[in-house]
Amino acid sequence: QDQLVESGGGSVQAGGSLRLSCAAPAYIYDNYYMGWFRQAPGKEREKVATVYPGGAATYYVDSVKGRFTISQDNAKSTLFLQMNSLKPEDTAMYYCAADRTLTGWGRSPAYWGQGTQVTVTP
């Protein structure tokens, strides 16, 4: 169920940066596990970044550590993914997602955005 609204994707050269945003209903933003997934054609869906409720903790897949950072604007109930030093391997459709419980988050989140395309050219 798409209740999250994503934006910020685009096409950039390797080494460039993009910032994705995910606007969420306040009840989701304030209380749920949230984060970002990505999926490239023919590839498995991959969990990229996670933030616990209230920003209590953040986690990143090894391949993006040091390059991607989650941030939040609490007043706007908006989650961001700052992506720096982008590589062609980062090319994928990026999805914001959320779930009320850690179990649900780990299995398959209940809430999803529509996706925003990120393309990194050599």
Side-chain angles (χ1 to χ4, degrees):
Q1 187 117 340
D2 290 347
Q3 296 183 234
L4 313 175
V5 180
E6 297 158 317
S7 62
S11 182
V12 298
Q13 290 235 285
S17 298
L18 286 171
R19 189 174 77 157
L20 308 184
S21 65
C22 173
Y27 75 91
I28 290 176
Y29 181 87
D30 291 342
N31 300 290
Y32 287 23
Y33 298 84
M34 296 188 69
W36 298 87
F37 289 77
R38 66 186 181 188
Q39 188 164 28
K43 302 293 192 296
E44 288 192 313
R45 187 181 69 191
E46 177 183 41
K47 188 184 298 177
V48 174
T50 297
V51 60
Y52 278 28
T58 55
Y59 299 92
Y60 304 90
V61 68
D62 285 347
S63 61
V64 310
K65 284 180 180 175
R67 300 189 298 120
F68 291 12
T69 306
I70 281 182
S71 63
Q72 298 178 95
D73 186 336
N74 294 336
K76 295 182 173 67
S77 296
T78 299
L79 184 73
F80 301 97
L81 184 67
Q82 179 68 44
M83 306 188 298
N84 297 326
S85 302
L86 282 161
K87 305 174 180 180
E89 310 92 86
D90 297 317
T91 295
M93 186 73 73
Y94 283 70
Y95 299 89
C96 183
D99 201 282
R100 199 182 75 82
T101 69
L102 184 59
T103 298
W105 174 252
R107 182 182 64 248
S108 185
Y111 301 94
W112 292 86
Q114 80 287 352
T116 185
Q117 178 68 37
V118 171
T119 301
V120 185
T121 61

